[in-house]
Amino acid sequence: MQQQPWWRGAIIYQVYPRSLMDANGDGVGDLPGIINRLDYIASLGVDAIWVSPFFRSPMKDFGYDISDYRDVDPLFGTLNDIDELIQQAHARGLKVMIDQVLSHTSDQHAWFQQSRESRDNEKSDWYVWADPSEDGTPPNNWLAIFGGSAWEWEPRRGQYYLHNFLKSQPDLNYHCIEVQAQMLDEVEFWLQRGVDGFRLDAINFCFHDKSLRSNPAKPVDEREGRGFSEDNPYAFQRHIYDKTQPENLQFLQKLRALFDRYDQIVSLGEISSENSLQTMADYSRGNDKLHMTYSFELLTDDFSPQYIRDTVSTLESKLAEGWPCWAVGNHDVARVVSRWGGAKAGDALAKMVNAMLFSLRGSVCSYQGEELGLPEVSLTLEQLQDPYGITFWPRFKGRDGCRTPMPWDDTEHGGFSSVEPWLPVVEEHRRRNVARQIKNQSSVLNAYQRFTQWRKEQNSLRYGDIEFVDLNKNVLSFYRTFAGERVLCCFNFSEESCEVTLPDDSNQALTGHGFDFKLTGNKLMLPEFGASFLQC
């Protein structure tokens, strides 16, 4: 078999540093905490870790507002700690990917502090500045995802600056060639430190329409949320001028050329656009842009075999030779077992969803805690830390419910910290802690480990083509085919057992994956939220 790049078919474990492990007793997770838990992460059978931002930051958006791309925030540790993390991960066979937030910085970044002072300094064009309209209002109707206008007044320059997220996250001006060159240098700083890849945050936000044309309105019946709720005014517009501009592709080619100078580097772009599946394809098709992209299309409330099938098939039809990446959870959305299961959320659903994700064509991102089947945490307004949730409370409660600390054992604070943590470890999570699940052979954790180890031997699941088949409306079914191997994967999305009639009776049940099902001739019986894998 031809050697595949390490990232093809990889399981990438997302680490949210604030919430994995607190090593210094300040209530917040840190880099030494991650190092302390690398043996555990390696035991999960994953191929890589993606570490969410740990850079110097005022933490208005918890690290996605960077004030220095080349330093570690003291809250998380030091540059020596990230070097140690990379070395220790590599010693365990784990690749290390880090977040890069290229579209915007913190307003505390030295570049913005200089840019805001005048219209004629060296950094004056490094951010998106615009004169007000004749009546003093912002130059157009663009909105910020986190609420309100995307424009903030700066009295020093007598102009507005653009921010697609918080007003403390000003957008860089990628129409300025010096900005492009500088950001490539920031990326290369980490390439030289030995990282294996990058998760590129909001990568389609880098460029804006130079003419600053207003976005058209979107009809009520077409409003949908992808990373934001439908009642957020952001959903009221077609975002065709404030992001996803044609020039972005040219910058991605420069970025890819940089990556290609290093060995086995991977890039994974986060996409949020009017047509995310098309943009995913555009940004990863060919060998001159990103290696992979992912979007919010499986991070929604939609949960049905038809929705999964339609989403994956649509992307597959556009990708050509491109390679997808899928995620069903991350630090921005409610935890998947609660989002898709609601009151039905339980271990069987968690096990099935993990196996389903790991069986799709492509690479996958698995968010910390999904191996435990952790549900979403319900927090009070007083407990919230997320400015996004505080702004849109109570209809949207923000992202803190999926960001609570990992429960490691039965001790106070779940073994995450020796002091009160930045977000609470609730009793429902403590009951699902790592130490307890390791001892329970039927736990979600053991099912996760069992399946990832079995998957390593299944080239069809890691590298194969995908072909969907209709067998039962409650069952997601598809073939994975690679080098003469063909596996039929079936996932019961129902809380009731169901019978599936297979095309023929020549299938052979595969074992070792941890799922129980009954195969008699061409009749397949799946338990509630069950799964099966058949050699065809």
Side-chain angles (χ1 to χ4, degrees):
M1 183 183 78
Q2 183 178 357
Q3 183 68 31
Q4 299 281 340
W6 72 262
W7 47 268
R8 281 198 172 233
I11 299 175
I12 303 163
Y13 185 79
Q14 183 192 352
V15 173
Y16 193 68
R18 295 182 72 91
S19 298
L20 190 81
M21 183 69 197
D22 171 21
N24 66 354
D26 64 357
V28 178
D30 43 45
L31 295 176
I34 300 173
I35 295 170
N36 289 346
R37 295 299 180 179
L38 283 175
D39 283 340
Y40 166 77
I41 295 173
S43 78
L44 297 176
V46 301
D47 303 284
I49 57 173
W50 144 27
V51 187
S52 290
F54 50 81
F55 312 102
R56 190 173 288 273
S57 165
M59 299 294 162
K60 296 290 181 60
D61 190 24
F62 301 105
Y64 284 89
D65 50 326
I66 297 173
S67 58
D68 187 341
Y69 286 92
R70 304 191 185 200
D71 199 7
V72 172
D73 194 272
L75 186 69
F76 297 127
T78 66
L79 279 171
N80 286 338
D81 290 327
I82 190 63
D83 290 341
E84 177 75 6
L85 172 57
I86 294 169
Q87 179 185 344
Q88 291 292 334
H90 286 170
R92 291 163 174 81
L94 293 168
K95 303 290 187 179
V96 178
M97 299 172 64
I98 64 171
D99 245 312
Q100 284 285 278
V101 187
L102 302 185
S103 70
H104 57 266
T105 71
S106 163
D107 61 359
Q108 300 304 304
H109 198 295
W111 303 339
F112 185 75
Q113 293 290 306
Q114 182 176 351
S115 185
R116 76 191 315 176
E117 285 299 325
S118 69
R119 301 189 185 194
D120 57 3
N121 64 74
E122 287 184 358
K123 301 286 192 299
S124 61
D125 197 33
W126 278 40
Y127 292 82
V128 184
W129 297 99
D131 292 328
S133 301
E134 289 185 5
D135 61 358
T137 55
N140 59 32
N141 71 348
W142 295 352
L143 296 172
I145 293 178
F146 291 173
S149 171
W151 297 97
E152 182 71 12
W153 181 251
E154 173 48 67
R156 296 168 184 81
R157 291 180 55 135
Q159 287 182 306
Y160 286 96
Y161 67 84
L162 178 67
H163 61 93
N164 276 293
F165 299 93
L166 295 174
K167 67 180 182 181
S168 57
Q169 293 171 294
D171 274 64
L172 287 160
N173 177 22
Y174 273 78
H175 292 289
C176 173
I177 198 69
E178 289 87 357
V179 167
Q180 294 185 41
Q182 184 67 50
M183 298 314 290
L184 291 173
D185 283 349
E186 303 303 319
V187 171
E188 187 159 26
F189 174 83
W190 292 101
L191 286 168
Q192 292 174 347
R193 293 193 94 90
V195 301
D196 303 290
F198 300 87
R199 181 264 188 184
L200 302 169
D201 184 71
I203 192 59
N204 60 302
F205 283 79
C206 290
F207 282 86
H208 63 284
D209 175 52
K210 218 170 183 180
S211 300
L212 301 183
R213 287 172 284 187
S214 285
N215 287 323
K218 182 178 286 187
V220 175
D221 61 351
E222 293 183 26
R223 294 172 187 170
E224 60 181 10
R226 293 291 187 270
F228 48 90
S229 56
E230 293 175 16
D231 61 342
N232 184 337
Y234 193 80
F236 295 16
Q237 295 182 356
R238 297 190 192 281
H239 293 274
I240 59 177
Y241 293 122
D242 49 352
K243 58 182 178 180
T244 325
Q245 299 304 292
E247 298 95 327
N248 221 41
L249 292 171
Q250 298 165 19
F251 176 69
L252 294 183
Q253 289 173 327
K254 294 181 181 180
L255 202 54
R256 178 59 180 266
L258 171 61
F259 294 147
D260 286 348
R261 292 189 357 231
Y262 291 78
D263 186 41
Q264 290 285 298
I265 299 299
V266 68
S267 52
L268 171 61
E270 179 201 34
I271 304 296
S272 174
S273 68
E274 283 300 313
N275 186 343
S276 289
L277 294 173
Q278 183 63 57
T279 306
M280 286 173 69
D282 292 342
Y283 280 33
S284 59
R285 197 167 42 227
N287 295 315
D288 62 344
K289 294 179 282 295
L290 300 180
H291 298 85
M292 302 185 289
T293 54
Y294 85 97
S295 71
F296 283 76
E297 295 303 314
L298 296 187
L299 301 175
T300 66
D301 294 339
D302 303 288
F303 177 60
S304 70
Q306 193 63 49
Y307 179 76
I308 303 290
R309 173 178 177 164
D310 289 348
T311 300
V312 174
S313 296
T314 299
L315 180 61
E316 288 288 335
S317 69
K318 302 174 184 297
L319 264 183
E321 75 284 0
W323 189 256
C325 186
W326 297 106
V328 296
N330 68 12
H331 63 291
D332 283 332
V333 296
R335 285 200 172 270
V336 64
V337 292
S338 298
R339 202 173 71 244
W340 284 358
K344 299 176 291 186
D347 288 358
L349 175 66
K351 294 173 185 177
M352 185 275 286
V353 167
N354 284 330
M356 183 275 294
L357 175 65
F358 298 159
S359 300
L360 294 174
R361 177 181 180 266
S363 303
V364 296
C365 293
S366 181
Y367 181 47
Q368 66 184 41
E370 287 176 3
E371 76 275 17
L372 304 178
L374 296 184
E376 181 79 353
V377 174
S378 180
L379 299 169
T380 65
L381 177 60
E382 292 70 30
Q383 290 173 313
L384 286 194
Q385 305 287 325
D386 182 12
Y388 192 10
I390 293 169
T391 298
F392 284 94
W393 180 276
R395 293 292 298 275
F396 173 68
K397 298 180 180 180
R399 302 163 295 179
D400 288 333
C402 69
R403 297 178 173 182
T404 56
M406 279 280 285
W408 295 100
D409 57 38
D410 287 314
T411 62
E412 189 179 13
H413 313 312
F416 165 76
S417 177
S418 59
V419 301
E420 188 79 24
W422 74 289
L423 286 173
V425 180
V426 297
E427 182 57 31
E428 189 176 12
H429 278 200
R430 287 212 315 159
R431 289 197 301 268
R432 295 173 173 270
N433 71 65
V434 171
R436 201 179 280 193
Q437 291 205 32
I438 285 175
K439 298 174 184 175
N440 179 2
Q441 285 304 306
S442 63
S443 69
V444 178
L445 175 57
N446 273 296
Y448 186 105
Q449 293 172 313
R450 193 178 301 117
F451 193 86
T452 57
Q453 293 301 331
W454 176 77
R455 181 181 179 271
K456 289 181 185 294
E457 307 303 319
Q458 307 301 317
N459 288 332
S460 56
L461 293 191
R462 296 173 68 195
Y463 312 122
D465 296 331
I466 191 167
E467 177 192 353
F468 289 91
V469 57
D470 280 324
L471 298 178
N472 184 300
K473 68 176 183 178
N474 292 322
V475 177
L476 177 69
S477 303
F478 51 81
Y479 292 101
R480 297 295 310 279
T481 307
F482 182 79
E485 298 177 2
R486 194 179 196 215
V487 175
L488 175 62
C489 309
C490 297
F491 303 93
N492 183 7
F493 279 40
S494 169
E495 56 185 322
E496 298 177 357
S497 61
C498 65
E499 184 178 85
V500 176
T501 301
L502 302 173
D504 56 59
D505 60 2
S506 63
N507 303 287
Q508 180 180 349
L510 293 172
T511 59
H513 44 69
F515 287 90
D516 294 324
F517 53 89
K518 186 176 181 181
L519 178 65
T520 307
N522 70 334
K523 299 296 183 182
L524 172 66
M525 184 63 71
L526 289 170
E528 62 172 296
F529 298 125
S532 67
F533 302 86
L534 308 175
Q535 187 77 51
C536 302

